[in-house]
Amino acid sequence: MESFLTSLFLGQPVWMWLGFIAIVIALLAFDLGILHRKTHEIGVRESLTLSTFYILLGLAFGGFVWWQLGAQAGVEYLTGFVVEKSLALDNVFVIALIFTYFAIPRVYQHRVLFWGILGAITLRALMIGFGAALVSEFHWVLYIFAAFLVATGIKMLWLGEKESDLGDNPVLKWLQRHLRVTKELHGQRFFLRQRDERRGRVVTFVTPLFMALVLIEIADVIFAVDSVPAIFAITTDPYIVYTSNIFAILGLRALYFALAAVLHRFAYLKQALAILLVFIGSKIFVADLLGWEKFPAGWSLGITFGILASGVIYSLWRTRNDRGQLV
């Protein structure tokens, strides 16, 4: 048994992977089975408390990585955690848009986000596993990831983002054509058995709550196309890549409820995220040009903090006269 636990899986001992998985399962069970056993609307105070808890837990795990794998790995984990947490903010904008379109009450939003994040954990595992296999076999794939990040960041800065109408989304239109969707919500239910007047028999319908869940999962896949290459541009260690990614995602529910009412105050954060993507992608090429084995992890972390802090401070300053309040 001991030899199994100390054997390597994706570059790290099995016991480290099992320990991390146990922590994630315990957190999900604690969240669903204790904190939200009864349906209730999550207020700002509760969401801020939970968000702080998840951030501190993610940082504490970074301390474990530092202690177990060394300072370099610890800094890379922290950089990855900060980057993924920041990119998750962009996801919050889309989640708010989806909930608004389907008129999902706050009291039911947690259920959608819980299952959405459970799906995201699984999808990220598959994407990161595939990415790790590619990088280990073909190191030049990192340069493709880096170029993609630079191009994405420049596109975000140059073209900006247009106001999107979710009703015109082709995925949503396809789902509405191929699924039986109820006209209204039915509590927390994703599925409902009821009579279909056209067919004259009882069939299964999906509710708008399920539609919101599907679109949130699709949105996460789209965001992962940016975030997964971003973390691989920071480190190629699958353990650091996955753990920093998942700890950033775990707090997304609490982060959403904490920020949903004040998203307008972060109007210029997307520009900062675009600059961050350009930096993360370009540092691989910079390291090669300067003859470095790797871009210094400490510099990478400091520059990341500087870009994000500038975006947040500038956004708050530009919207300082906005009277929007938390609700």
Side-chain angles (χ1 to χ4, degrees), residues 168-323:
D168 293 331
N169 186 285
V171 175
L172 176 58
K173 289 182 176 180
W174 186 91
L175 290 172
Q176 290 172 333
R177 286 197 306 268
H178 291 81
L179 296 176
R180 302 182 188 93
V181 186
T182 61
K183 294 181 180 180
E184 62 281 322
L185 291 168
H186 291 268
Q188 293 191 86
R189 300 175 71 174
F190 288 133
F191 305 99
L192 185 71
R193 295 280 293 175
Q194 65 179 23
R195 184 177 178 80
D196 185 346
E197 297 300 332
R198 291 183 302 174
R199 295 179 178 270
R201 58 188 175 88
V202 175
V203 296
T204 300
F205 282 75
V206 301
T207 67
L209 205 67
F210 178 78
M211 296 290 283
L213 172 61
V214 172
L215 289 185
I216 287 174
E217 291 287 10
I218 293 172
D220 181 73
V221 172
I222 294 172
F223 279 108
V225 172
D226 286 337
S227 67
V228 171
I231 189 67
F232 271 111
I234 295 169
T235 177
T236 56
D237 186 328
Y239 187 79
I240 298 176
V241 171
Y242 190 59
T243 55
S244 61
N245 209 288
I246 298 308
F247 268 113
I249 291 174
L250 281 173
L252 183 60
R253 296 185 310 283
L255 188 66
Y256 167 78
F257 288 109
L259 298 180
V262 291
L263 287 177
H264 55 284
R265 295 298 309 275
F266 298 93
Y268 297 91
L269 184 60
K270 291 192 176 186
Q271 285 83 345
L273 293 176
I275 295 172
L276 181 60
L277 290 178
V278 173
F279 164 68
I280 293 172
S282 62
K283 69 190 185 74
I284 292 179
F285 300 107
V286 170
D288 280 354
L289 289 173
L290 296 178
W292 297 341
E293 182 180 351
K294 202 170 187 180
F295 195 91
W299 291 17
S300 182
L301 179 60
I303 294 171
T304 297
F305 268 117
I307 292 172
L308 294 174
S310 299
V312 171
I313 293 171
Y314 184 68
S315 292
L316 294 176
W317 179 73
R318 286 297 299 267
T319 59
R320 63 191 182 282
N321 296 323
D322 196 310
R323 298 295 181 182

Side-chain angles (χ1 to χ4, degrees), residues 33 49 111 161 197:
T49 300
R111 176 171 167 80
E161 292 196 16
E197 297 300 332

Side-chain angles (χ1 to χ4, degrees), residues 36-232:
H36 301 102
R37 182 174 52 188
K38 295 182 179 179
T39 303
H40 68 282
E41 182 174 327
I42 298 178
V44 174
R45 179 176 297 179
E46 180 182 354
S47 62
L48 287 174
T49 300
L50 285 174
S51 187
T52 301
F53 167 74
Y54 278 113
I55 290 173
L56 292 176
L57 187 63
L59 294 176
F61 191 84
F64 164 76
V65 171
W66 190 305
W67 171 68
Q68 189 67 32
L69 302 179
Q72 173 80 14
V75 173
E76 288 176 349
Y77 169 90
L78 182 57
T79 305
F81 178 75
V82 171
V83 168
E84 294 301 322
K85 199 74 173 176
S86 304
L87 291 175
L89 289 175
D90 209 17
N91 214 345
V92 170
F93 287 87
V94 176
I95 291 172
L97 177 66
I98 293 171
F99 281 151
T100 300
Y101 179 82
F102 288 106
I104 307 297
R106 285 175 64 91
V107 69
Y108 300 138
Q109 290 175 4
H110 177 270
R111 176 171 167 80
V112 177
L113 291 176
F114 177 86
W115 290 106
I117 288 173
L118 197 61
I121 290 173
T122 305
L123 290 171
R124 295 293 176 95
L126 294 174
M127 295 181 72
I128 289 171
F130 179 69
L134 274 180
V135 170
S136 64
E137 289 293 325
F138 311 104
H139 185 73
W140 50 263
V141 170
L142 280 178
Y143 294 95
I144 296 179
F145 284 170
F148 174 76
L149 292 174
V150 173
T152 301
I154 292 174
K155 180 181 177 182
M156 288 172 63
L157 283 172
W158 187 262
L159 299 179
E161 292 196 16
K162 299 178 180 178
E163 291 294 327
S164 57
D165 182 1
L166 195 59
D168 293 331
N169 186 285
V171 175
L172 176 58
K173 289 182 176 180
W174 186 91
L175 290 172
Q176 290 172 333
R177 286 197 306 268
H178 291 81
L179 296 176
R180 302 182 188 93
V181 186
T182 61
K183 294 181 180 180
E184 62 281 322
L185 291 168
H186 291 268
Q188 293 191 86
R189 300 175 71 174
F190 288 133
F191 305 99
L192 185 71
R193 295 280 293 175
Q194 65 179 23
R195 184 177 178 80
D196 185 346
E197 297 300 332
R198 291 183 302 174
R199 295 179 178 270
R201 58 188 175 88
V202 175
V203 296
T204 300
F205 282 75
V206 301
T207 67
L209 205 67
F210 178 78
M211 296 290 283
L213 172 61
V214 172
L215 289 185
I216 287 174
E217 291 287 10
I218 293 172
D220 181 73
V221 172
I222 294 172
F223 279 108
V225 172
D226 286 337
S227 67
V228 171
I231 189 67
F232 271 111

Side-chain angles (χ1 to χ4, degrees), residues 4-15 17 21 237-239:
F4 168 73
L5 293 177
T6 56
S7 61
L8 295 182
F9 176 72
L10 295 178
Q12 300 301 339
V14 169
W15 70 266
W17 286 101
I21 292 170
D237 186 328
Y239 187 79

